[in-house]
Amino acid sequence: MTLTLSLLDLVPLRTGQTTAQAVAASMQLVRRADELGVHRYWFAEHHNMPAIASSSPPVLIAAAASRTERIRLGSGGVMLPNHSPLIVAEQFSTLAALAPGRIDLGIGRAPGSDPVITQLLRQSGATSDVDRFPDNITDIIALAHPDGASLRFASGGEYTVKATPVATSTPEVWLLGSSDYSARLAAQLGLPYVFANHFAGDHLEHAMSLYRTQYRPSAEHPEPKSFLTANTVVAPTYDEAFERALPHLRMMARMRSGLPLRAAETVDEVRAAPSDEAERRIIDLQARNWFIGEPGDVAKRLRAFAAEHGVDEIMISAAAGQFEAEPLDESTGRIQTLELLTAALR
């Protein structure tokens, strides 16, 4: 089975690293992904998280577009309640003009942070009503279309709104989700759908079944179109791969335990302060749903995972931590995962 490989980037921030260094490391990673033939590269949207620097996907996509030649670039995803639909349509139509035929607009319904940040976002600029999420999706699609969207006044007459004056390329819209809601909506609208398996694997089979059985063909997508995400760490040996996975696994364990978040630890920091029994139980439970190990074994497991769920593309979150000796402005562990895995999948 031929498996298409894509990459999700949260722009992780490790101990002692600045935002500038974290972004530089991600730009190095997207360049390497482009060289290796990775299909698409998406940036997530999260706010006020000390270990994640991907708060502005459109800015990161523009930076990545200037450093790459062929890879598809997109958002995984834009959290729509945080933004005005018109602004999203304008941003991604501009990106489609910068990188024609290479832009994906992945859209999610969650806020990407906590209630305090949600309130701050509403005070800081235009946002959208989460209850109008389906209408906002269709508005974005219409606004980004070359013909634009038409508004009809009660007094008579029409007013046309376009995200960009003369579009020759439009972003491909995807719905993202981890529950029934987005699966049903994507099916209803005839849109591609991504299940966020990297953090919500329990509902995978049910969501994918709903999407496929309820799918209504659209002009752009006569058949259902989907892929899955997966946390993945690859190294020459299983032991190194598991060590590199531990910083992210431990951060997720802290989050699930309600403990304060901080920048991701280095592998050396995890070694120096081993987890207690309760934390180890959470880590072991999470690690069962990850793809950690040597290249051949992980490639085999990813192919089996894709076949089991009827997809031919997997988007990995390369959650490999760094050793202290590794440069702060480089993605040593993530690039290793990508290089070893792409070679093993050939």
Side-chain angles (χ1 to χ4, degrees), residues 239-256:
D239 289 343
E240 182 187 337
F242 191 76
E243 273 203 316
R244 284 195 181 272
L246 275 174
H248 191 86
L249 282 165
R250 192 142 88 166
M251 181 176 67
M252 296 301 295
R254 290 181 63 85
M255 186 182 298
R256 292 176 187 271

Side-chain angles (χ1 to χ4, degrees), residues 255-288:
M255 186 182 298
R256 292 176 187 271
S257 302
L259 297 173
L261 296 180
R262 59 192 183 203
E265 297 167 287
T266 62
V267 175
D268 309 76
E269 287 176 306
V270 174
R271 283 176 177 170
S275 299
D276 60 26
E277 186 176 345
E279 190 171 73
R280 279 199 305 272
R281 281 198 297 269
I282 299 174
I283 287 172
D284 290 343
L285 187 63
Q286 293 179 119
R288 292 176 193 171

Side-chain angles (χ1 to χ4, degrees), residues 9 20 33 37 41 45 54 60 72 79 85 108 112-113 118 136 141 160 201 231 262 267 302 304 308 331:
D9 190 357
Y41 192 110
E45 177 185 339
S54 59
L60 293 166
R72 292 193 68 89
M79 299 294 102
S113 192
T118 299
N136 292 335
I141 293 170
T160 300
N231 290 305
R262 59 192 183 203
V267 175
L302 282 173
E308 179 185 359
S331 289

Side-chain angles (χ1 to χ4, degrees), residues 11-35:
V11 192
L13 193 82
R14 66 180 250 205
T15 303
Q17 195 177 34
T18 66
T19 301
Q21 290 167 327
V23 171
S26 283
M27 292 301 109
Q28 179 197 46
L29 182 60
V30 73
R31 280 195 300 268
R32 190 66 183 121
D34 191 43
E35 294 166 354

Side-chain angles (χ1 to χ4, degrees), residues 45-325:
E45 177 185 339
H46 292 283
H47 300 279
N48 199 39
M49 299 186 76
I52 296 176
S54 59
S55 58
S56 184
V59 175
L60 293 166
I61 293 166
S66 71
R67 293 163 169 82
T68 55
E69 296 180 0
R70 44 144 300 278
I71 195 168
R72 292 193 68 89
L73 301 164
S75 54
V78 165
M79 299 294 102
L80 189 51
N82 299 338
H83 310 282
S84 157
L86 175 58
I87 296 300
V88 172
E90 288 179 334
Q91 289 173 340
F92 279 79
S93 292
T94 302
L95 289 168
L98 286 169
R102 292 208 285 146
I103 300 300
D104 297 327
L105 170 53
I107 299 175
R109 186 169 173 262
S113 192
D114 56 54
V116 175
I117 294 298
T118 299
Q119 284 300 114
L120 288 173
L121 285 164
R122 288 175 179 167
Q123 293 172 14
S124 302
T127 56
S128 61
D129 188 346
V130 69
D131 294 332
R132 293 198 72 253
F133 185 72
D135 293 333
N136 292 335
I137 296 292
T138 56
D139 287 348
I140 287 172
I141 293 170
L143 289 163
H145 190 274
D147 294 337
S150 293
L151 305 176
R152 292 189 177 182
F153 298 116
S155 58
E158 291 188 355
Y159 184 85
T160 300
V161 184
K162 296 183 178 183
T164 193
V166 185
T168 56
S169 177
T170 58
E172 183 171 65
V173 176
W174 291 71
L175 287 196
L176 283 56
S178 58
S179 65
D180 295 2
Y181 179 88
S182 290
R184 292 180 191 276
L185 182 59
Q188 177 186 331
L189 298 178
L191 291 174
Y193 171 66
V194 182
F195 182 83
N197 177 71
H198 64 293
F199 68 82
D202 291 346
H203 305 287
L204 169 58
E205 291 184 12
H206 182 58
M208 293 299 286
S209 175
L210 281 175
Y211 173 63
R212 288 171 176 147
T213 58
Q214 298 185 13
Y215 189 79
R216 298 179 186 175
S218 60
E220 294 79 9
H221 303 287
E223 301 289 337
K225 182 177 180 180
S226 60
F227 63 80
L228 301 175
T229 61
N231 290 305
T232 305
V233 182
V234 181
T237 66
Y238 175 83
D239 289 343
E240 182 187 337
F242 191 76
E243 273 203 316
R244 284 195 181 272
L246 275 174
H248 191 86
L249 282 165
R250 192 142 88 166
M251 181 176 67
M252 296 301 295
R254 290 181 63 85
M255 186 182 298
R256 292 176 187 271
S257 302
L259 297 173
L261 296 180
R262 59 192 183 203
E265 297 167 287
T266 62
V267 175
D268 309 76
E269 287 176 306
V270 174
R271 283 176 177 170
S275 299
D276 60 26
E277 186 176 345
E279 190 171 73
R280 279 199 305 272
R281 281 198 297 269
I282 299 174
I283 287 172
D284 290 343
L285 187 63
Q286 293 179 119
R288 292 176 193 171
N289 296 321
W290 286 38
F291 295 82
I292 302 169
E294 300 174 11
D297 175 62
V298 171
K300 180 180 178 181
R301 290 173 57 211
L302 282 173
R303 283 197 180 100
F305 177 65
E308 179 185 359
H309 297 289
V311 299
D312 58 9
E313 179 179 349
I314 297 291
M315 176 173 278
I316 66 167
S317 175
Q322 296 282 94
F323 289 90
E324 286 182 10

